[in-house]
Amino acid sequence: MNSPVSSIVSAGAASRKDIHMGRMLVEQGKMTLEEVERVRRLQKEEGLRFGEAAQRLGLVTEADIQQVLARQFDYPYLQAGGGNYPATLMAAYQPFSAEVEMLRSVRSELMLRWFRPGRKTLAIASVNPGDGTSLLAANLAVVFSQLGEQTLLVDANLRNPSQHKIFNLAAGRGLADVLAGRAGLDMLAMAESFIDLSLLPAGSLVPNPQELINRSNFVVMNETLCDRFDIILYDTPAFSSAADALTIASRAGGVLLVVRKDHTRVADLTAFSEQLRRSGTEVVGSVMVSF
């Protein structure tokens, strides 16, 4: 049984949390101050939590309450229609779905097996275009940021970039411009709606992506980024269309392979894995996707 003192402390903490929830719902335009007072009166009468009382009065939905709770515990995500991201950015919209739970399992494995002190960079790569590399990289970046890790997603696909489209970034300078010495890292963009997620888009379309990636500027840039971020994910072009992925993965030190269900051939994946290992890159694991 709780002591009177602990009960008072718990009640006080719950009251403060309810006040904060009411304030956040007002700031989001979900409730008015008068409606908050109605909720508090029902709370006292029925002994309900703030969210339960608000839902009973028909003022908010379960999704509204989950959104506020997520922000209270620094676990940001978006309701359907918010943010204008594609629905395939599941980690942004469906954080409690089975698919995103699997993403969190991948994140846990990577934290245990790869992201140890001194290891901050990982390439995401696949054999063929359309295997889902960019979407997996984007979703993984979101779930790492939800863990509270300062996360950077680098679009290193200088041939067919897509991260600026996924995260609604205006076309402009990015990785290619940094490697060419025409820009600094000031164009790093914070991902709207996600506290700990930043992006470095691919930037200008260039005729010599392989040469740029092989420049020593890449190593210098990577070291600078490692001083600023906890997790750095590199989205890479498909191996079958360019050798860029081998170079980027070698720079990162490790690679996570993306295998598309009923699409990626085992023989091709084996050949790619062997080339990665010969270049000194550790194949950390593989993930099968169906999107």
Side-chain angles (χ1 to χ4, degrees):
M1 182 179 294
N2 291 332
S3 68
V5 173
S6 64
S7 296
I8 291 170
V9 171
S10 298
S15 177
R16 288 192 296 273
K17 187 178 293 184
D18 288 342
I19 291 171
H20 187 44
M21 178 177 286
R23 184 184 303 119
M24 292 179 72
L25 286 166
V26 170
E27 290 173 352
Q28 293 174 11
K30 302 291 185 181
M31 294 175 61
T32 65
L33 291 173
E34 292 76 14
E35 288 171 338
V36 170
E37 288 305 317
R38 285 177 57 198
V39 172
R40 288 178 181 162
R41 286 196 296 270
L42 182 59
Q43 268 190 283
K44 291 179 181 179
E45 293 170 3
E46 302 289 340
L48 302 172
R49 294 191 178 114
F50 186 93
E52 291 172 330
Q55 288 182 76
R56 182 176 293 187
L57 290 170
L59 299 173
V60 296
T61 65
E62 175 66 22
D64 294 327
I65 298 301
Q66 290 295 333
Q67 184 83 16
V68 171
L69 287 171
R71 292 193 174 277
Q72 283 184 330
F73 290 95
D74 296 325
Y75 190 73
Y77 71 94
L78 302 171
Q79 292 190 28
N84 294 319
Y85 302 132
T88 44
L89 193 62
M90 295 176 292
Y93 294 109
Q94 304 172 47
F96 311 113
S97 65
E99 292 83 359
V100 179
E101 187 60 37
M102 291 300 297
L103 282 170
R104 285 193 286 269
S105 296
V106 173
R107 179 189 66 188
S108 297
E109 286 294 319
L110 290 173
M111 292 297 288
L112 288 171
R113 296 172 55 186
W114 182 252
F115 289 115
R116 299 171 182 172
R119 286 181 178 173
K120 295 186 174 184
T121 56
L122 181 70
I124 314 296
S126 66
V127 174
N128 303 306
D131 280 350
T133 303
S134 296
L135 278 174
L136 180 65
N139 277 285
L140 276 178
V142 171
V143 296
F144 271 113
S145 72
Q146 289 170 333
L147 190 62
E149 300 286 343
Q150 287 293 320
T151 304
L152 175 66
L153 174 58
V154 180
D155 194 342
N157 187 344
L158 303 185
R159 299 172 187 270
N160 187 27
S162 60
Q163 296 300 340
H164 66 290
K165 298 176 184 176
I166 294 174
F167 287 96
N168 288 323
L169 299 177
R173 296 183 301 173
L175 175 62
D177 305 277
V178 173
L179 297 180
R182 296 190 294 158
L185 293 173
D186 55 313
M187 82 289 298
L188 289 175
M190 292 290 293
E192 185 180 350
S193 306
F194 298 101
I195 299 170
D196 297 310
L197 177 58
S198 298
L199 295 110
L200 177 58
S204 303
L205 291 177
V206 294
N208 58 336
Q210 180 67 36
E211 288 74 18
L212 285 179
I213 288 168
N214 274 290
R215 288 185 180 181
S216 59
N217 287 3
F218 195 112
V219 177
V220 174
M221 177 201 71
N222 191 57
E223 291 174 351
T224 301
L225 293 175
C226 285
D227 289 335
R228 296 173 58 177
F229 294 94
D230 302 314
I231 303 290
I232 302 170
L233 302 178
Y234 285 100
D235 179 14
T236 69
F239 173 63
S240 64
S241 60
D244 303 13
L246 289 173
T247 303
I248 297 165
S250 178
R251 304 284 201 196
V255 60
L256 179 68
L257 297 178
V258 183
V259 181
R260 187 175 178 186
K261 185 179 180 181
D262 301 325
H263 188 264
T264 307
R265 296 177 62 230
V266 174
D268 294 338
L269 184 65
T270 301
F272 184 28
S273 300
E274 286 302 315
Q275 289 209 42
L276 285 164
R277 292 189 176 95
R278 283 199 296 270
S279 69
T281 303
E282 182 172 340
V283 178
V284 180
S286 60
V287 176
M288 180 175 288
V289 300
S290 57
F291 48 69

